[in-house]
Amino acid sequence: MRWTCFLIIALLLPLCYCSAVQANEQSAQQLVNDGIALGLEEKYLDAIKLFDKALILDPDNYKALYNKGTAFNYLGLFQDGLETLNQALEIEPGNTSALNNKAFALSELGRHNEAYDIYSQILEVDSDNTQVWNNQGLELARLGKYEEAIKSFDSGLEIDSTVIDLWNNKGTALNFLDRDEEAIIAFDNGLKIDPDNTDLLTNKGVAFYTLGRYEEALECYDRVLGIDPDYADVIKYREMAMNKMQ
């Protein structure tokens, strides 16, 4: 089964042309903008170098720290990401984007209770944030609290029923509870929005397989492989379904 989680990337900062007194801040801001642009191209190491240059000019530059921490997360360097995001939060303690990405790092470090607490903290001030409802649900699922996870996913879907990851993760939690028929309905709701979503199709196939409906599972796997012929897990799942049908 495949879960999906969210990181939040900053938008480019508008530049303002000001006096020489603020030259360092403006230069730092340009470096941050350039770093964000590199991050959007997935050139995270190069982006971090620019954020570091910005921090030499402006050590308390929140955006440089925030985006550096987020880049570390994308590189899988979660301890570095956590430490850098903590520095950003010393400057803007209540910033929900930094808190979200800190929680992501904590989760990847296996500190799921702490991550859950942060997502709950964010929702106290931003209860319409579907990404955070999704991420909170994932932490509950990772803690084995699937019923509570489903409530989080449902809370997000009440706000926006077009968020595919919420449908996918709700269906996956239902699958772990052996509520496979309900899981298939959740996956189908997501597939109405994105019919070629390989995560939804794969997880729907797994639910069919669990129910012993191997032909329907095979149909899902074949659709996935028509989109991504090298999808190793689905190749394996397809072989398992074929063996059951022999």
Side-chain angles (χ1 to χ4, degrees), residues 116 119-120 123-124 126-138 140 146-163 165-167 169-170:
Y116 169 80
Y119 291 131
S120 298
L123 290 168
E124 288 178 3
D126 188 10
S127 61
D128 290 335
N129 192 318
T130 58
Q131 294 182 348
V132 178
W133 281 115
N134 181 74
N135 291 350
Q136 184 196 61
L138 285 173
L140 289 164
Y146 298 113
E147 293 283 3
E148 293 177 56
I150 290 166
K151 291 179 182 177
S152 289
F153 300 137
D154 280 338
S155 293
L157 288 166
E158 287 175 8
I159 298 162
D160 185 354
S161 62
T162 68
V163 179
D165 291 325
L166 287 165
W167 288 117
N169 291 337
K170 178 181 178 178

Side-chain angles (χ1 to χ4, degrees), residues 79-225:
Q79 186 61 44
D80 291 326
L82 177 61
E83 291 171 4
T84 308
L85 288 162
N86 277 335
Q87 290 178 300
L89 286 163
E90 288 177 7
I91 299 166
E92 292 192 19
N95 188 288
T96 56
S97 295
L99 286 167
N100 180 81
N101 292 359
K102 175 183 176 178
F104 181 91
L106 286 166
S107 177
E108 293 298 321
L109 291 167
R111 296 161 64 177
H112 300 298
N113 283 305
E114 292 173 78
Y116 169 80
D117 288 342
I118 290 175
Y119 291 131
S120 298
Q121 176 186 343
I122 297 170
L123 290 168
E124 288 178 3
V125 296
D126 188 10
S127 61
D128 290 335
N129 192 318
T130 58
Q131 294 182 348
V132 178
W133 281 115
N134 181 74
N135 291 350
Q136 184 196 61
L138 285 173
E139 293 315 308
L140 289 164
R142 288 164 179 154
L143 291 165
K145 300 178 180 180
Y146 298 113
E147 293 283 3
E148 293 177 56
I150 290 166
K151 291 179 182 177
S152 289
F153 300 137
D154 280 338
S155 293
L157 288 166
E158 287 175 8
I159 298 162
D160 185 354
S161 62
T162 68
V163 179
I164 292 169
D165 291 325
L166 287 165
W167 288 117
N168 181 61
N169 291 337
K170 178 181 178 178
T172 303
L174 287 164
N175 186 273
F176 274 100
L177 290 170
D178 296 323
R179 292 161 59 181
D180 299 290
E181 296 283 2
E182 293 174 76
I184 290 167
I185 292 170
F187 297 136
D188 279 337
N189 283 331
L191 288 165
K192 290 175 186 176
I193 303 162
D194 183 2
D196 294 328
N197 186 289
T198 56
D199 287 340
L200 290 164
L201 287 167
T202 300
N203 290 346
K204 182 180 176 182
V206 171
F208 277 133
Y209 181 91
T210 305
L211 290 167
R213 294 161 61 177
Y214 304 118
E215 289 186 8
E216 290 165 285
L218 196 61
E219 289 176 8
C220 292
Y221 300 148
D222 284 342
R223 283 185 62 190
V224 173
L225 294 172

